Amino acid sequence: MTVLKHSFATLGVREEIVRALAEDGKEHPFAIQELTMPLALAGDDLIGQARTGMGKTLAFGVPLLNSITTDTERPLTGAPRALIVVPTRELCLQVHGDLSGAAKYLRVGDRALSVVPIYGGRPYEAQIEALQKGADVVVGTPGRLLDLANQGHLQLGGLSVLVLDEADEMLDLGFLPDIERILRLTPDSRQAMLFSATMPDPIITLARTFMNQPTHIRAEAPHSAATHDTTEQFAYRAHAMDKVEMVSRILQANGRGATMIFTRTKRTAQKVSDELAERGFKVGAVHGDLGQGAREKALKSFRTGEIDVLVATDVAARGIDIDDITHVINYQCPDDEQAYVHRIGRTGRAGKTGIAVTLVDWDEMAKWTAIDKALALDCPDPAETYSSSPHLYEELNIPTEVKGTVGGPKKQAPRRPARDEAGADSATEKPRTRNRQRQRTRGAAKAGTGHVETTTESTGPDSSEAQDGQADNAGGEAGPAGRRRRRRPRKPADAAPGASVNAG
DNA sequence: AAAAAAG
């Protein structure tokens, strides 16, 4: 594998942006950023796909900022020239922060280039004022964007660039009507860029109906796994009533690592958060029943380390980028494989290692089986041991410590409980462990340190069938992200010890 | 069916 060590400057990014990125420690582009840059700068429509945590925001953000500040035929006027639509308010704030950072040295005449967040749950006044003062780039959630557009405060007729972040989510049923309304307000000539880690075929087909000959860019081979080699994945069968206890035990042994816990419902998120707080954990919650202030406060506390446990619904499943989340726990099984991929993608970002644990109760078995199959996770079936013991957590043996980033010391696999080895309890429970993809020194690691390989990310038995990292215009051959099996030897019996949750 | 997103 050839390592190409490019810089943003050699990709044609202007000096102000290069300098801002460098000050933030970003010297070398990630694979998706490098692949996207030439096409995006040329004004092409594109669909960009890269795994979670691999730099998609700047993959559209940098060329977008570069284009609108470099187009001498259309100098910036203060009317929005680029619009980025995102699915949640918190992601809106994060993307706004990322773009503002990259744009901090860009100027329009005698003023700074303006990036404005437009999202719900907050008063209108400040947002309207910001638009009136001049907004070159707008980042927003659909409802408030349409609201302000309908009120005449947001003018989208002058857009050069439209981005749908988490595009498959934005084009899903819940959001589609709003997105169609937004699209109608934008000029036909605008460049459209769609980004996500997950892009089901039907969504791509739908996207093509409003895009102009989009190029589909993938930072990995079309058939590579959707999740990271560097994230160890576990599924445990669990009685619903035991789940808080199981989570507690994982957290207790978890040292300083931050943990995100996902639930399916807002009520459960609040309940789990409350119960963990009662048990003394420094925990916060983010879900749609909370006021916007509380949501942002919880997320901020989690970012700063003031709290180290965050319980959330899928509102926080996508895009949220927080350093050093070592564990993701699916307290309730996600609805589909996309949700699973995005949830566990909160850990193991940018080449770091992570641990993902999914607790599966009886009602969730079918859902879990479908996810396992769709992603070819190859987990043992939790149903095998479902009815045996109400106290499975006694035998939980989930690694509670992340052993360092890739390239560092070898991560160890969890050990099966001693009594399993002794055979005493073998009929009751085995930890439903799954040590996925042990070969972990490949692309993710390199990309994580900012390098780019011509063969990016994972390889695998079938990687040769595609030109890794090559754009393709044909489309259609992508296939669901993981129908094929990627079997690899599993050796649960002689797996190495991990830190014990219950001290043995 | 739930969550998200306007209020």
Side-chain angles (χ1 to χ4, degrees):
Chain A
M1 287 187 286
T2 314
V3 175
L4 303 177
K5 191 175 178 180
H6 286 173
S7 68
F8 285 105
T10 60
L11 289 170
V13 179
R14 50 187 304 159
E15 181 273 336
E16 295 94 326
I17 300 174
V18 172
R19 181 158 36 109
L21 293 174
E23 284 183 12
D24 201 23
K26 297 169 177 125
E27 303 273 356
H28 305 291
F30 281 59
I32 186 66
Q33 295 163 358
E34 176 160 359
L35 292 164
T36 299
M37 205 70 68
L39 293 160
L41 289 176
D44 289 3
D45 277 14
L46 55 89
I47 298 169
Q49 218 177 332
R51 284 189 287 203
T52 52
M54 297 309 294
K56 286 186 288 294
T57 304
L58 290 180
F60 60 75
V62 169
L64 165 164
L65 291 169
N66 204 88
S67 292
I68 64 171
T69 53
T70 308
D71 186 347
T72 49
E73 290 182 7
R74 289 194 64 194
L76 291 167
T77 62
R81 188 60 53 80
L83 172 66
I84 299 125
V85 189
V86 299
T88 67
R89 298 164 182 176
E90 287 72 22
L91 189 54
C92 175
L93 287 169
Q94 180 182 293
V95 170
H96 170 261
D98 290 351
L99 263 59
S100 299
K104 67 180 175 180
Y105 295 124
L106 290 171
R107 301 197 62 80
V108 181
D110 57 357
R111 66 173 174 90
L113 182 127
S114 161
V115 184
V116 172
I118 299 292
Y119 63 102
R122 291 292 193 193
Y124 288 86
E125 291 74 24
Q127 294 180 9
I128 293 171
E129 192 183 335
L131 291 173
Q132 286 168 349
K133 280 171 61 184
D136 306 299
V137 179
V138 171
V139 186
T141 49
R144 184 60 70 93
L145 285 172
L146 282 169
D147 196 348
L148 293 187
N150 291 337
Q151 290 184 41
H153 297 296
L154 175 64
Q155 179 56 252
L156 298 178
L159 283 190
S160 300
V161 187
L162 171 72
V163 177
L164 301 186
D165 195 11
E166 307 297 345
D168 55 330
E169 171 83 351
M170 305 313 290
L171 296 175
D172 197 15
L173 263 47
F175 277 115
L176 187 56
D178 278 354
I179 296 304
E180 286 173 331
R181 288 184 198 106
I182 290 172
L183 284 170
R184 268 181 244 125
L185 300 175
T186 68
D188 292 340
S189 58
R190 83 277 182 278
Q191 177 186 24
M193 298 195 278
L194 273 53
F195 281 81
S196 182
T198 50
M199 275 290 184
D201 282 349
I203 297 291
I204 292 180
T205 304
L206 171 62
R208 287 178 188 277
T209 64
F210 64 85
M211 297 180 82
N212 177 29
Q213 302 281 320
T215 301
H216 190 170
I217 298 174
R218 300 181 193 81
E220 303 91 21
H223 296 288
S224 59
T227 55
H228 289 286
D229 300 358
T230 47
T231 297
E232 276 192 302
Q233 299 173 52
F234 302 82
Y236 283 83
R237 86 101 178 88
H239 289 277
M241 58 176 289
D242 291 337
K243 285 184 173 182
V244 171
E245 177 67 21
M246 293 172 79
V247 167
S248 297
R249 287 170 185 252
I250 298 170
L251 294 175
Q252 272 164 19
N254 194 5
R256 279 178 53 250
T259 301
M260 271 192 92
I261 301 172
F262 285 102
T263 66
R264 194 177 58 86
T265 66
K266 295 178 280 195
R267 265 187 55 197
T268 305
Q270 193 58 53
K271 185 200 80 172
V272 172
S273 174
D274 290 345
E275 291 187 17
L276 290 176
E278 207 162 311
R279 287 166 179 250
F281 293 103
K282 288 187 289 181
V283 57
V286 174
H287 58 74
D289 277 350
L290 293 172
Q292 190 54 29
R295 286 167 57 162
E296 287 173 31
K297 184 183 170 205
L299 199 65
K300 186 183 177 188
S301 308
F302 192 54
R303 273 190 203 281
T304 59
E306 196 179 324
I307 60 177
D308 46 25
V309 182
L310 189 68
V311 188
T313 58
D314 280 332
V315 68
R318 283 174 176 258
I320 298 303
D321 184 36
I322 295 175
D323 281 342
D324 302 322
I325 294 177
T326 57
H327 290 59
V328 168
I329 301 174
N330 290 319
Y331 185 93
Q332 291 171 311
C333 191
D335 275 344
D336 52 38
E337 65 266 28
Q338 286 82 22
Y340 178 81
V341 165
H342 287 279
R343 281 184 180 187
I344 76 163
R346 296 321 97 208
T347 187
R349 296 176 75 77
K352 293 181 179 174
T353 55
I355 291 162
V357 181
T358 302
L359 305 180
V360 185
D361 65 44
W362 179 251
D363 294 338
E364 301 172 316
M365 275 304 306
K367 215 185 270 181
W368 170 252
T369 304
I371 292 169
D372 180 83
K373 188 181 174 198
L375 294 173
L377 297 181
D378 197 23
C379 278
D381 184 350
E384 288 169 19
T385 55
Y386 176 75
S387 60
S388 305
S389 167
H391 299 295
L392 174 65
Y393 55 79
E394 294 293 348
E395 296 183 353
L396 274 184
N397 205 337
I398 298 165
T400 51
E401 210 172 294
V402 171
K403 307 287 186 193
T405 55
V406 174
K410 268 246 169 191
K411 180 173 51 183
Q412 292 183 317
R415 176 175 56 185
R416 288 174 62 187
R419 74 183 103 171
D420 260 356
E421 284 156 20
D425 262 340
S426 59
T428 52
E429 315 297 344
K430 299 169 190 170
R432 307 285 80 197
T433 58
R434 154 101 184 121
N435 302 310
R436 230 181 148 259
Q437 323 224 342
R438 313 292 303 182
Q439 81 281 40
R440 35 207 297 289
T441 52
R442 289 229 194 74
K446 298 287 171 45
T449 55
H451 301 274
V452 172
E453 302 181 356
T454 49
T455 49
T456 57
E457 301 290 8
S458 68
T459 54
D462 48 11
S463 68
S464 59
E465 74 191 35
Q467 293 278 344
D468 289 13
Q470 289 290 310
D472 85 84
N473 251 322
E477 90 299 350
R483 295 307 302 189
R484 89 251 165 268
R485 310 289 288 176
R486 307 188 71 211
R487 291 205 167 272
R488 74 189 54 259
R490 259 185 324 114
K491 311 185 295 178
D494 49 88
S500 173
V501 173
N502 55 9

